[in-house]
Amino acid sequence: MRRRAYWRHGEWADGVLYALIREDLSVPDSLALLHDYVTVHNECVRTGDWVPLQDWFAEDAELAFEGVPVGPFSGREEILEAYGEQPPDDEVVVFGVEQEGGDVVARYGWTREPDKQAGRMIITPQEGKIRKLIVTFEE
């Protein structure tokens, strides 16, 4: 609550701000994993430090790309090395998310073209980590 937050109709009016948190919405763990991964990914793009990203992958994780000649990469260490050597240069924007079986499929784009879908990210979760991530690049 904020007193005298807005000037309306010739006088000050109080304002109240409400928010929901993840626990209020009962977000499935797999969707929360996607959200948190994208948040950390985007922070890594901003800072250039890819080390925090490794914590989101299972030890024996797989990372594959479709539509570009990169990878695949196996294991947390190899994935981290790949991000360090060929880092993405833009932040991810998620347009929509669906669950397909045990996987989470996100339609994504880049902040430089926020109205264009670039492809899909398909995440297979395992005990709160990413077991497999497939990133597609579509025309």
Side-chain angles (χ1 to χ4, degrees):
M1 173 139 210
R2 182 174 176 193
R3 302 284 181 201
R4 299 174 45 98
Y6 307 101
W7 183 257
R8 283 187 76 133
H9 308 293
E11 64 183 327
W12 287 104
D14 296 342
V16 179
L17 177 66
Y18 293 92
L20 293 172
I21 57 174
R22 182 181 300 158
E23 291 79 16
D24 293 340
L25 298 174
S26 300
V27 173
D29 291 342
S30 57
L31 296 182
L33 176 63
L34 168 73
H35 173 271
D36 293 346
Y37 167 77
V38 169
T39 300
V40 171
H41 173 279
N42 289 345
E43 181 64 19
C44 292
V45 170
R46 288 188 289 273
T47 65
D49 178 11
W50 293 94
V51 173
L53 201 64
Q54 74 180 348
D55 293 336
W56 295 98
F57 288 94
E59 190 65 40
D60 60 347
E62 299 173 49
L63 172 61
F65 296 91
E66 295 178 3
V68 293
V70 177
F73 304 100
S74 297
R76 183 186 293 160
E77 295 302 319
E78 190 172 309
I79 291 169
L80 178 62
E81 186 177 315
Y83 274 106
E85 289 178 3
Q86 296 178 318
D89 62 356
D90 200 0
E91 296 177 38
V92 170
V93 176
V94 175
F95 297 122
V97 180
E98 298 174 0
Q99 289 191 280
E100 293 181 8
D103 294 342
V104 176
V105 180
R107 293 178 294 106
Y108 79 93
W110 304 104
T111 56
R112 70 176 159 259
E113 295 182 283
D115 58 342
K116 180 181 177 188
Q117 181 175 322
R120 298 178 305 138
M121 294 189 307
I122 305 162
I123 291 179
T124 303
Q126 177 185 16
E127 298 176 2
K129 304 267 186 196
I130 297 171
R131 168 68 187 94
K132 186 172 188 176
L133 172 58
I134 300 172
V135 181
T136 70
F137 290 81
E138 302 162 5
E139 293 293 321

